Amino acid sequence: MTGAPGRGWGRGGRLVRTAGWLLTPLVVWAASFLGGWLGALIGRTVGGFLGGGIWLLVGSLAGGTAGLIGWLRVMSRRRLLPPPPNAGSTDAPEDEPAPAPAPTTMSGRSDETA
Protein backbone atom coordinates (compact mmCIF):
# COMPACT_ATOMS: atom_id res chain seq x y z
CA MET A 1 0.00 0.00 0.00
CA THR A 2 2.08 2.92 -1.24
CA GLY A 3 -0.51 5.59 -2.00
CA ALA A 4 0.16 8.72 -4.00
CA PRO A 5 3.62 10.29 -3.96
CA GLY A 6 4.07 12.67 -1.06
CA ARG A 7 1.15 11.27 0.92
CA GLY A 8 1.27 9.14 4.07
CA TRP A 9 -0.31 5.73 4.34
CA GLY A 10 -3.39 7.18 5.96
CA ARG A 11 -5.40 5.59 8.71
CA GLY A 12 -4.21 2.04 8.07
CA GLY A 13 -0.63 2.76 9.13
CA ARG A 14 -1.72 4.79 12.12
CA LEU A 15 -4.13 2.07 13.16
CA VAL A 16 -1.45 -0.63 13.05
CA ARG A 17 1.02 1.56 14.95
CA THR A 18 -1.57 2.44 17.58
CA ALA A 19 -2.49 -1.22 17.99
CA GLY A 20 1.21 -2.03 18.44
CA TRP A 21 1.58 0.56 21.17
CA LEU A 22 -1.59 -0.67 22.86
CA LEU A 23 -0.13 -4.19 22.91
CA THR A 24 2.84 -2.98 24.99
CA PRO A 25 1.32 -3.91 28.41
CA LEU A 26 0.39 -7.36 27.13
CA VAL A 27 3.89 -7.99 25.80
CA VAL A 28 5.50 -6.83 29.04
CA TRP A 29 3.10 -8.96 31.10
CA ALA A 30 3.88 -12.04 28.99
CA ALA A 31 7.63 -11.43 29.29
CA SER A 32 7.42 -10.98 33.05
CA PHE A 33 5.29 -14.13 33.33
CA LEU A 34 7.91 -16.09 31.36
CA GLY A 35 10.71 -14.59 33.46
CA GLY A 36 8.87 -15.43 36.67
CA TRP A 37 8.29 -18.99 35.47
CA LEU A 38 11.99 -19.40 34.68
CA GLY A 39 12.86 -17.82 38.02
CA ALA A 40 10.55 -20.30 39.76
CA LEU A 41 12.32 -23.17 37.99
CA ILE A 42 15.65 -21.88 39.25
CA GLY A 43 14.19 -21.18 42.72
CA ARG A 44 12.90 -24.73 42.93
CA THR A 45 16.45 -25.94 43.42
CA VAL A 46 17.05 -23.40 46.20
CA GLY A 47 15.85 -24.66 49.56
CA GLY A 48 13.08 -22.82 51.35
CA PHE A 49 10.14 -20.67 50.42
CA LEU A 50 12.00 -17.36 50.66
CA GLY A 51 14.72 -18.38 48.19
CA GLY A 52 12.19 -19.54 45.61
CA GLY A 53 10.10 -16.38 46.06
CA ILE A 54 13.13 -14.17 45.58
CA TRP A 55 14.06 -16.03 42.37
CA LEU A 56 10.47 -15.69 41.18
CA LEU A 57 10.52 -11.93 41.84
CA VAL A 58 13.92 -11.42 40.22
CA GLY A 59 12.90 -13.47 37.18
CA SER A 60 9.66 -11.49 36.79
CA LEU A 61 11.42 -8.14 37.04
CA ALA A 62 14.18 -9.18 34.64
CA GLY A 63 11.72 -10.66 32.15
CA GLY A 64 9.41 -7.63 32.27
CA THR A 65 12.30 -5.20 31.85
CA ALA A 66 13.79 -7.17 28.96
CA GLY A 67 10.37 -7.48 27.33
CA LEU A 68 9.72 -3.74 27.63
CA ILE A 69 13.10 -2.76 26.23
CA GLY A 70 12.79 -5.26 23.38
CA TRP A 71 9.25 -4.18 22.48
CA LEU A 72 10.18 -0.49 22.54
CA ARG A 73 13.08 -1.21 20.21
CA VAL A 74 10.79 -3.09 17.83
CA MET A 75 8.17 -0.34 17.87
CA SER A 76 10.65 2.50 17.43
CA ARG A 77 12.34 0.80 14.45
CA ARG A 78 9.12 0.02 12.64
CA ARG A 79 8.44 2.60 9.93
CA LEU A 80 4.78 2.32 9.10
CA LEU A 81 4.65 5.72 7.48
CA PRO A 82 7.10 6.69 4.74
CA PRO A 83 9.40 9.63 5.48
CA PRO A 84 8.41 13.04 4.11
CA PRO A 85 9.64 13.78 0.57
CA ASN A 86 12.32 16.28 1.64
CA ALA A 87 13.44 14.56 4.86
CA GLY A 88 17.05 15.35 5.65
CA SER A 89 17.61 17.62 2.66
CA THR A 90 19.08 21.11 2.62
CA ASP A 91 17.35 24.21 1.31
CA ALA A 92 18.30 23.47 -2.30
CA PRO A 93 16.66 20.44 -3.92
CA GLU A 94 19.00 17.72 -5.16
CA ASP A 95 17.74 18.01 -8.73
CA GLU A 96 18.99 21.57 -9.14
CA PRO A 97 22.73 22.15 -9.49
CA ALA A 98 24.52 24.46 -7.10
CA PRO A 99 24.94 28.05 -8.34
CA ALA A 100 28.07 28.66 -10.37
CA PRO A 101 30.82 30.75 -8.77
CA ALA A 102 31.17 34.35 -9.86
CA PRO A 103 33.45 34.83 -12.88
CA THR A 104 36.89 36.20 -12.11
CA THR A 105 39.13 38.63 -13.97
CA MET A 106 42.75 38.10 -14.89
CA SER A 107 43.83 39.52 -11.54
CA GLY A 108 41.86 36.83 -9.68
CA ARG A 109 39.28 39.21 -8.28
CA SER A 110 35.62 38.61 -8.96
CA ASP A 111 33.66 41.03 -11.13
CA GLU A 112 31.52 42.01 -8.15
CA THR A 113 34.46 43.53 -6.27
CA ALA A 114 35.92 45.33 -9.26
Side-chain angles (χ1 to χ4, degrees), residues 1-52:
M1 197 178 354
T2 58
R7 289 186 150 181
W9 287 8
R11 290 187 181 162
R14 289 188 199 119
L15 182 65
V16 171
R17 188 165 184 91
T18 302
W21 282 112
L22 290 175
L23 286 174
T24 301
L26 181 67
V27 169
V28 173
W29 172 80
S32 68
F33 185 81
L34 179 64
W37 185 74
L38 292 173
L41 283 179
I42 294 171
R44 178 177 67 169
T45 61
V46 176
F49 175 73
L50 186 60

Side-chain angles (χ1 to χ4, degrees), residues 74-100:
V74 165
M75 289 303 296
S76 65
R77 285 185 185 167
R78 183 167 292 170
R79 297 259 184 216
L80 296 176
L81 298 176
N86 293 332
S89 66
T90 59
D91 293 335
E94 293 180 28
D95 297 342
E96 296 180 16

